[in-house]
mmCIF file of all heavy atoms in Angstrom:
data_model
loop_
_atom_site.group_PDB
_atom_site.id
_atom_site.type_symbol
_atom_site.label_atom_id
_atom_site.label_comp_id
_atom_site.label_asym_id
_atom_site.label_seq_id
_atom_site.Cartn_x
_atom_site.Cartn_y
_atom_site.Cartn_z
ATOM 1 N N THR O 25 -17.458 7.946 21.154
ATOM 2 C CA THR O 25 -16.353 7.435 20.344
ATOM 3 C C THR O 25 -15.838 6.124 20.883
ATOM 4 O O THR O 25 -15.583 5.208 20.092
ATOM 5 C CB THR O 25 -15.219 8.485 20.252
ATOM 6 O OG1 THR O 25 -15.725 9.700 19.721
ATOM 7 C CG2 THR O 25 -14.093 7.974 19.394
ATOM 8 N N VAL O 26 -15.729 6.044 22.189
ATOM 9 C CA VAL O 26 -15.271 4.752 22.777
ATOM 10 C C VAL O 26 -16.240 3.639 22.493
ATOM 11 O O VAL O 26 -15.888 2.561 22.119
ATOM 12 C CB VAL O 26 -15.025 4.974 24.301
ATOM 13 C CG1 VAL O 26 -14.847 3.658 25.015
ATOM 14 C CG2 VAL O 26 -13.870 5.925 24.557
ATOM 15 N N VAL O 27 -17.522 3.947 22.686
ATOM 16 C CA VAL O 27 -18.550 2.903 22.473
ATOM 17 C C VAL O 27 -18.563 2.457 21.002
ATOM 18 O O VAL O 27 -18.568 1.285 20.717
ATOM 19 C CB VAL O 27 -19.960 3.442 22.894
ATOM 20 C CG1 VAL O 27 -21.072 2.489 22.414
ATOM 21 C CG2 VAL O 27 -20.042 3.632 24.396
ATOM 22 N N ILE O 28 -18.530 3.399 20.095
ATOM 23 C CA ILE O 28 -18.554 3.072 18.680
ATOM 24 C C ILE O 28 -17.277 2.270 18.266
ATOM 25 O O ILE O 28 -17.353 1.307 17.520
ATOM 26 C CB ILE O 28 -18.711 4.336 17.795
ATOM 27 C CG1 ILE O 28 -20.110 4.869 18.017
ATOM 28 C CG2 ILE O 28 -18.450 4.056 16.329
ATOM 29 C CD1 ILE O 28 -20.364 6.254 17.393
ATOM 30 N N SER O 29 -16.110 2.709 18.788
ATOM 31 C CA SER O 29 -14.859 2.047 18.495
ATOM 32 C C SER O 29 -14.865 0.617 19.074
ATOM 33 O O SER O 29 -14.438 -0.322 18.323
ATOM 34 C CB SER O 29 -13.702 2.796 19.044
ATOM 35 O OG SER O 29 -13.621 4.065 18.542
ATOM 36 N N LEU O 30 -15.327 0.437 20.270
ATOM 37 C CA LEU O 30 -15.386 -0.923 20.813
ATOM 38 C C LEU O 30 -16.365 -1.803 20.074
ATOM 39 O O LEU O 30 -16.097 -3.013 19.866
ATOM 40 C CB LEU O 30 -15.796 -0.855 22.289
ATOM 41 C CG LEU O 30 -14.715 -0.290 23.268
ATOM 42 C CD1 LEU O 30 -15.218 -0.177 24.648
ATOM 43 C CD2 LEU O 30 -13.460 -1.137 23.222
ATOM 44 N N LEU O 31 -17.501 -1.231 19.672
ATOM 45 C CA LEU O 31 -18.450 -1.992 18.915
ATOM 46 C C LEU O 31 -17.882 -2.405 17.555
ATOM 47 O O LEU O 31 -18.027 -3.543 17.110
ATOM 48 C CB LEU O 31 -19.729 -1.223 18.718
ATOM 49 C CG LEU O 31 -20.894 -1.956 18.010
ATOM 50 C CD1 LEU O 31 -21.249 -3.198 18.828
ATOM 51 C CD2 LEU O 31 -22.066 -1.032 17.900
ATOM 52 N N ALA O 32 -17.193 -1.458 16.885
ATOM 53 C CA ALA O 32 -16.530 -1.792 15.590
ATOM 54 C C ALA O 32 -15.494 -2.869 15.749
ATOM 55 O O ALA O 32 -15.383 -3.812 14.950
ATOM 56 C CB ALA O 32 -15.947 -0.514 14.981
ATOM 57 N N LEU O 33 -14.729 -2.787 16.816
ATOM 58 C CA LEU O 33 -13.644 -3.773 17.078
ATOM 59 C C LEU O 33 -14.318 -5.140 17.358
ATOM 60 O O LEU O 33 -13.808 -6.177 16.871
ATOM 61 C CB LEU O 33 -12.839 -3.355 18.293
ATOM 62 C CG LEU O 33 -11.662 -4.214 18.690
ATOM 63 C CD1 LEU O 33 -10.588 -4.201 17.580
ATOM 64 C CD2 LEU O 33 -11.053 -3.773 20.006
ATOM 65 N N PHE O 34 -15.409 -5.168 18.113
ATOM 66 C CA PHE O 34 -16.112 -6.420 18.403
ATOM 67 C C PHE O 34 -16.664 -7.028 17.106
ATOM 68 O O PHE O 34 -16.577 -8.237 16.866
ATOM 69 C CB PHE O 34 -17.251 -6.157 19.363
ATOM 70 C CG PHE O 34 -18.098 -7.359 19.636
ATOM 71 C CD1 PHE O 34 -17.628 -8.416 20.373
ATOM 72 C CD2 PHE O 34 -19.360 -7.455 19.114
ATOM 73 C CE1 PHE O 34 -18.417 -9.535 20.626
ATOM 74 C CE2 PHE O 34 -20.146 -8.562 19.353
ATOM 75 C CZ PHE O 34 -19.656 -9.578 20.109
ATOM 76 N N ILE O 35 -17.211 -6.170 16.208
ATOM 77 C CA ILE O 35 -17.717 -6.712 14.961
ATOM 78 C C ILE O 35 -16.620 -7.284 14.094
ATOM 79 O O ILE O 35 -16.776 -8.316 13.514
ATOM 80 C CB ILE O 35 -18.462 -5.540 14.208
ATOM 81 C CG1 ILE O 35 -19.767 -5.221 14.932
ATOM 82 C CG2 ILE O 35 -18.785 -5.979 12.784
ATOM 83 C CD1 ILE O 35 -20.479 -3.999 14.448
ATOM 84 N N VAL O 36 -15.478 -6.633 14.028
ATOM 85 C CA VAL O 36 -14.378 -7.085 13.204
ATOM 86 C C VAL O 36 -13.685 -8.272 13.799
ATOM 87 O O VAL O 36 -13.391 -9.278 13.081
ATOM 88 C CB VAL O 36 -13.377 -5.957 12.919
ATOM 89 C CG1 VAL O 36 -12.125 -6.461 12.210
ATOM 90 C CG2 VAL O 36 -14.029 -4.837 12.114
ATOM 91 N N LYS O 37 -13.325 -8.238 15.083
ATOM 92 C CA LYS O 37 -12.515 -9.300 15.706
ATOM 93 C C LYS O 37 -13.333 -10.400 16.396
ATOM 94 O O LYS O 37 -12.746 -11.421 16.759
ATOM 95 C CB LYS O 37 -11.574 -8.657 16.757
ATOM 96 C CG LYS O 37 -10.638 -7.671 16.130
ATOM 97 C CD LYS O 37 -9.567 -8.360 15.351
ATOM 98 C CE LYS O 37 -8.512 -7.328 14.891
ATOM 99 N NZ LYS O 37 -7.479 -7.909 14.074
ATOM 100 N N GLY O 38 -14.613 -10.228 16.639
ATOM 101 C CA GLY O 38 -15.361 -11.210 17.394
ATOM 102 C C GLY O 38 -15.686 -12.431 16.556
ATOM 103 O O GLY O 38 -15.786 -12.364 15.327
ATOM 104 N N THR O 39 -15.839 -13.553 17.220
ATOM 105 C CA THR O 39 -16.234 -14.773 16.568
ATOM 106 C C THR O 39 -17.711 -14.841 16.337
ATOM 107 O O THR O 39 -18.454 -14.080 16.957
ATOM 108 C CB THR O 39 -15.747 -16.014 17.387
ATOM 109 O OG1 THR O 39 -16.450 -16.044 18.594
ATOM 110 C CG2 THR O 39 -14.244 -15.981 17.628
ATOM 111 N N GLN O 42 -19.444 -15.454 19.641
ATOM 112 C CA GLN O 42 -19.537 -14.200 20.462
ATOM 113 C C GLN O 42 -20.627 -13.284 19.912
ATOM 114 O O GLN O 42 -21.362 -12.659 20.735
ATOM 115 C CB GLN O 42 -18.185 -13.525 20.517
ATOM 116 C CG GLN O 42 -17.133 -14.225 21.273
ATOM 117 C CD GLN O 42 -15.758 -13.619 21.067
ATOM 118 O OE1 GLN O 42 -15.454 -13.044 20.071
ATOM 119 N NE2 GLN O 42 -14.932 -13.753 22.119
ATOM 120 N N HIS O 43 -20.781 -13.157 18.632
ATOM 121 C CA HIS O 43 -21.801 -12.328 18.035
ATOM 122 C C HIS O 43 -23.180 -12.863 18.431
ATOM 123 O O HIS O 43 -24.069 -12.094 18.804
ATOM 124 C CB HIS O 43 -21.687 -12.303 16.513
ATOM 125 C CG HIS O 43 -20.466 -11.550 16.038
ATOM 126 N ND1 HIS O 43 -19.957 -11.676 14.779
ATOM 127 C CD2 HIS O 43 -19.652 -10.655 16.701
ATOM 128 C CE1 HIS O 43 -18.932 -10.927 14.645
ATOM 129 N NE2 HIS O 43 -18.662 -10.292 15.777
#
Side-chain angles (χ1 to χ4, degrees):
T25 302
V26 169
V27 168
I28 291 170
S29 299
L30 289 175
L31 185 59
L33 183 67
F34 175 72
I35 290 171
V36 171
K37 298 287 185 182
T39 65
Q42 289 171 332
H43 291 162

